[in-house]
């Protein structure tokens, strides 16, 4: 998409078949988008905004989003703990409610806007998953998806101050990514974290994701390598499950693109059970290899954010 404000809007070859082609070609969308000012105002008190991306599905992006947010939030009885939010814009696969233990929660409309569902006092979650029956698919075209993302960015009330907003996106580089990045670049988005697995089939798609980020001028905070090895639930030994010529591919990719390697997460049964129960690995399994991995990644990510 060349964008509704482009001189080629509605005329470019990529516009063929788009339901908004006639509106774009008429110049209806020329001029500044009124949503931008609303989003800037609504997110003014959000200190740091981080997109979580993946080049392909099944690499554990939503798992990472939920766990890193809970790691940053810490214990709610800690008065010094930061205030954290998760915005789930993976509209066709909204798994964040389950992974944060909020499957039966609901968002509410209050005087100041949409109110997130709260995992704990300092961790709020926004997702379309709170608004649709669990078995109903989201069968939407791009414009309707873009409209909901815009609505979330404009209308969710995150409180008087939010320290970190983690935005969980769908796999790939589709409408949701273009919309979110296009709006957030007007709000000083801090950057993105890219989640991958070690094998080459994932690395190929991550290269496309990295190219997308650079074309969109989206800062890359770093890369996380998930499922880096299998941790036995009995002896706790970690065993690589990918061949030696691809294992550790995340580090090589970071070197190739000159980006930060945030860390690796093992394929640990504790991760699966914690996500299905909506529990924080760091809080409930503090001595596990996965807990230590998330703590290292959180430290590295915090360091990367200080440099933005």
């Amino acid at each position: 998409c060349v964008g509704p404000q482009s001189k080629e809007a509605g005329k470019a070859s990529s516009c063929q078949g788009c339901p908004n082609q006639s509106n774009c070609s008429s110049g209806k969308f020329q001029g500044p988008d009124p949503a931008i000012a609303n989003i800037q105002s609504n997110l003014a008190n959000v200190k740091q905004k981080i997109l979580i991306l993946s080049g392909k599905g099944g690499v554990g992006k939503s798992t990472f989003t939920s766990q890193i947010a809970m790691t940053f939030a810490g214990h709610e009885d800690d008065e010094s703990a930061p205030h954290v939010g998760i915005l789930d814009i993976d509209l066709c696969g909204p798994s964040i409610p389950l992974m944060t233990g909020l499957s039966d929660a609901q968002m509410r409309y209050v005087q100041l806007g949409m109110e997130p569902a709260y995992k704990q006092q300092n961790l709020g979650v926004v997702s379309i998953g709170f608004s649709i029956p669990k078995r109903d698919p989201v069968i939407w075209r791009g414009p309707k998806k873009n409209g909901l993302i815009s609505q979330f960015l404009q209308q969710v009330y995150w409180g008087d101050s939010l320290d970190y907003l983690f935005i969980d996106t769908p796999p790939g580089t589709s409408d949701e990514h273009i919309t979110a990045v296009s709006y957030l670049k007007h709000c000083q988005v801090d950057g993105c974290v890219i989640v991958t697995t070690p094998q080459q089939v994932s690395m190929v798609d991550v290269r496309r994701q990295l190219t997308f980020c650079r074309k969109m001028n989206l800062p890359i905070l770093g890369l996380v390598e998930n499922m880096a090895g299998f941790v036995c639930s009995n002896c706790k030994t970690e065993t690589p499950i990918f061949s030696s010529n691809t294992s550790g591919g995340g580090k090589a990719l970071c070197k190739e693109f000159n980006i930060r390697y945030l860390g690796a997460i093992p394929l640990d049964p504790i991760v699966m059970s914690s996500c299905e129960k909506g529990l924080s690995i760091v809080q409930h399994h503090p001595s596990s290899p996965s807990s230590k991995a998330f703590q290292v990644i959180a430290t590295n990510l915090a360091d990367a954010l200080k440099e933005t």
Side-chain angles (χ1 to χ4, degrees):
C1 176
V2 296
Q5 297 175 341
S6 168
K7 293 180 180 179
E8 295 297 313
K11 304 171 186 177
S13 59
S14 59
C15 299
Q16 300 301 316
C18 176
N20 280 324
Q21 183 179 7
S22 59
N23 287 329
C24 289
S25 60
S26 70
K28 178 179 179 180
F29 299 132
Q30 294 295 322
D33 185 342
I36 293 174
N38 294 335
I39 293 171
Q40 288 176 323
S41 174
N42 193 52
L43 298 183
N45 293 328
V46 178
K47 296 177 183 177
Q48 297 188 297
K49 311 163 194 72
I50 306 106
L51 287 152
I52 311 298
L53 309 177
S54 67
K56 65 186 286 81
V59 301
K61 171 187 53 59
S62 296
T63 295
F64 173 77
T65 303
S66 59
Q67 288 297 325
I68 199 66
M70 287 190 276
T71 301
F72 269 77
H75 292 274
E76 64 177 332
D77 55 359
D78 180 0
E79 294 183 359
S80 64
H83 289 262
V84 180
I86 303 176
L87 175 57
D88 181 7
I89 61 171
D90 189 351
L91 303 181
C92 294
S95 52
I96 291 295
L98 172 65
M99 292 183 174
T100 52
L102 295 171
S103 292
D104 297 322
Q106 291 184 339
M107 289 166 44
R108 299 185 304 163
Y109 280 89
V110 295
Q111 187 175 3
L112 295 172
M114 297 182 195
E115 185 179 65
Y118 280 90
K119 165 72 175 175
Q120 57 192 51
Q121 188 174 358
N122 65 326
L123 177 56
V125 179
V126 170
S127 173
I128 191 177
F130 296 130
S131 305
I132 58 173
K134 295 178 181 178
R135 294 189 179 185
D136 283 11
V138 176
I139 309 175
W140 289 1
R141 294 187 184 273
K144 193 168 183 179
K145 291 180 180 180
N146 298 344
L148 181 62
I149 293 170
S150 175
Q151 184 180 5
F152 280 160
L153 293 174
Q154 291 182 75
Q155 297 183 11
V156 172
Y157 174 62
W158 293 103
D160 294 335
S161 179
L162 191 72
D163 295 294
Y164 301 98
L165 176 61
F166 294 96
I167 303 172
D168 188 46
T169 66
T173 53
S174 56
D175 285 341
E176 293 94 325
H177 306 84
I178 297 170
T179 298
V181 174
S182 296
Y183 281 133
L184 289 171
K185 69 181 181 182
H186 298 283
C187 306
Q188 298 180 331
V189 61
D190 292 271
C192 68
V193 173
I194 297 177
V195 181
T196 186
T197 49
Q199 73 272 38
Q200 286 298 325
V201 69
S202 180
M203 295 296 167
V204 169
D205 290 329
V206 169
R207 285 182 172 87
R208 296 190 179 100
Q209 189 87 64
L210 291 167
T211 302
F212 165 84
C213 293
R214 291 185 170 173
K215 285 186 175 181
M216 297 292 289
N217 295 317
L218 177 64
I220 302 167
L221 297 168
L223 181 141
V224 171
E225 194 169 26
N226 195 20
M227 308 181 199
F230 172 73
V231 176
C232 176
S233 58
N234 293 319
C235 68
K236 306 302 180 184
T237 300
E238 183 174 337
T239 305
I241 59 172
F242 297 103
S243 60
S244 58
N245 64 326
T246 60
S247 182
K251 288 184 178 179
L253 194 66
C254 288
K255 186 176 181 180
E256 177 186 342
F257 281 83
N258 192 29
I259 60 176
R260 187 187 296 254
Y261 184 77
L262 296 174
I265 303 167
L267 186 60
D268 185 349
I270 287 176
V271 175
M272 181 195 71
S273 61
S274 297
C275 286
E276 291 187 344
K277 296 174 183 177
L279 301 176
S280 166
I281 295 170
V282 170
Q283 290 187 31
H284 291 269
H285 303 279
S287 61
S288 70
S290 297
S291 172
K292 295 174 183 177
F294 274 104
Q295 291 178 67
V296 168
I297 292 169
T299 299
N300 290 339
L301 179 54
D303 290 340
L305 287 166
K306 290 176 183 177
E307 297 176 7
T308 58

